Amino acid sequence: MRSKYIFVTGGVLSGLGKGIVTVSIGKLLQSKGFTVGPLKIDPYLNIDAGTMNPYEHGEVFVLDDGSEVDMDLGNYERFLDKILTSKNNLTTGKIYKKVIDKERKGEYLGKTVQIIPHIVDGIQEWVKDVGEHKTDFVIIEVGGTVGDIENVPFLEAARQLALKEDVYFAHVSLVPMLKAVGEFKTKPTQHSVQKLREIGIQPNMIICRTEKPLDGKTKEKVSLFCGVKPENVISDHDTITYEVPLLLKEQEVDKKILERFGLGNGAFDLKEWTNFVQKLKNPGKEITIALTGKYTGLQDSYISIREALTHAATSLNCRINYRWIETTEIEEGKVDVKTALEGVNGVLVPGGFGSRGAEGKMKCIQFARENNIPFLGLCLGFQLATTEFARNVCGLKNANSTEIEPKTPHAVIDLLPEQRKVYAKGGTMRLGGQEVMIRPESFAHKLYGKTNVRERFRHRYECNPKYISILEKNGLVFSGKAPEQPIMQILELQRHPFFVATQFHPEFTSKPLKPNPLFSGFVKAALIRFS
Ligand code: GLN
């Protein structure tokens, strides 16, 4: 079958959950046996998300091939259980760079290089390349909202592609409810569809983000003013993200899209997904996990960690409450660590950059280590756990990471040798999927059940090989290592209910139906505490 293309555009506001709608449509088609290739278009000039601040833009997700991408790709991988590549995330920066590189090589010799046709053609080629002419559906989420200057070339590319290929347009728009009058307001959606039509795109389906289920009268109104059949006005009311495929299914979104493409409505299998959603909505128990991070970044900057905890917790019939620990307050003595961690079932120290709050994070790690509180450290969390152990168990006074204190007398964490010559910041860390050799009989081995796994990395610093033996002599177990270089990748402590840290990011490989084993082990240990 020749690939078919579904474009998902957005209206009125950003942050409507367009990414979740996009991948939910993909999930429904996949559950009917079709192959699906998602593409996220980010209309910014950065080549990728790697240089952006996660507290403003949300987490930087890392793919197996080492690309640093928009956090929506994390949802795509979690929903579709597929390994994606840099091809699945297009930015304005990438497309301009490609065209400008070609121009420098002389491939357009004699021509004036322009947005139309060169950039717009380049976008169409990219979109088609995602399907490689063999994926049944390419689903393209156009970032931003219709009417933004930035996404005009992408929408123009979509319009032109529809002249040559089988294309479907779904528009996700806000339908607010004015509480004082108790009425849904359709005007913002009408305006955004008008904008879309000005560009030359008539949507086939309008997916309305609302607080409450949309009533028939409102659907009729949207239908009439926006030129879409009433049955193609869909209610996307507030619910948990993993339930969105089921919400769209109830309204036969998949069937309607398939009919439009002249395809049959095949058998359907979402049983396990539905069970997962049921369990997620009805947890038996609750636990509290302390997360050291910035409260302001709570929603999006730690999204994969929160999802990985949700996957593990749901499989164990429980729910996670978060306690956000602002570690600068611990360093400054405004809060003492005992009070901050009072009553928590586990402590998680996530990845990060720079020195802010590092001393406070180490206080949390020390408290968890000495008081048998389950602890999971990720990337920077691994480096700080190593440093804390060096200082307080090995007696290496003022040990530190050179990222935090370049003049430390004991650089237990130092730059990776291959990073010494690197000055540019974009895409230059040790990135992506790498092999981890697991030590037989270790705790990590028990959790993974194998001695060789692949996990994703994003770091410049590592445990300094010069300090490995002294750390080991004092009882730190490095249970995961790189196969060919002396890079320490997992550490653990014996005689502790759960003290594990990883140089990699296990949160990136966790899936709803396949929680990452380290997260499962952590949540299991957290459940036992106080029980
Ligand atoms: N800043 C540390 C490094 O570069 C940790 C990175 C991270 O936590 N992702 O190695």
Side-chain angles (χ1 to χ4, degrees), residues 351-353 378-380 383 403 458-461 503 505:
F353 294 83
L378 308 176
C379 205
L380 180 68
Q383 299 171 356
E403 179 183 13
R458 183 175 191 244
H459 64 127
R460 289 187 208 285
Y461 293 81
Q503 183 58 79
H505 293 269

Side-chain angles (χ1 to χ4, degrees), residues 218-231:
T218 313
K219 282 188 184 173
E220 293 275 341
K221 208 163 165 189
V222 173
S223 153
L224 189 69
F225 284 100
C226 302
V228 167
K229 289 187 197 152
E231 63 269 27

Side-chain angles (χ1 to χ4, degrees), residues 40 61 69 71 75 130 167 183 256 407 413 448 457:
K40 171 79 196 284
F61 193 76
V69 292
M71 63 171 191
N75 286 324
V130 172
V167 174
E183 232 180 64
K256 289 167 186 170
K407 294 199 204 92
I413 303 294
Y448 277 112
F457 292 76

Side-chain angles (χ1 to χ4, degrees), residues 39-58:
L39 170 63
K40 171 79 196 284
I41 291 179
D42 285 308
Y44 46 67
L45 277 164
N46 305 57
I47 297 284
D48 60 38
T51 53
M52 295 179 11
N53 181 350
Y55 296 111
E56 280 169 33
H57 276 274

Side-chain angles (χ1 to χ4, degrees), residues 103-114:
E103 186 275 333
R104 289 289 83 186
K105 279 197 212 140
E107 290 185 30
Y108 306 110
L109 220 51
K111 300 234 167 58
T112 310
V113 183
Q114 292 178 298

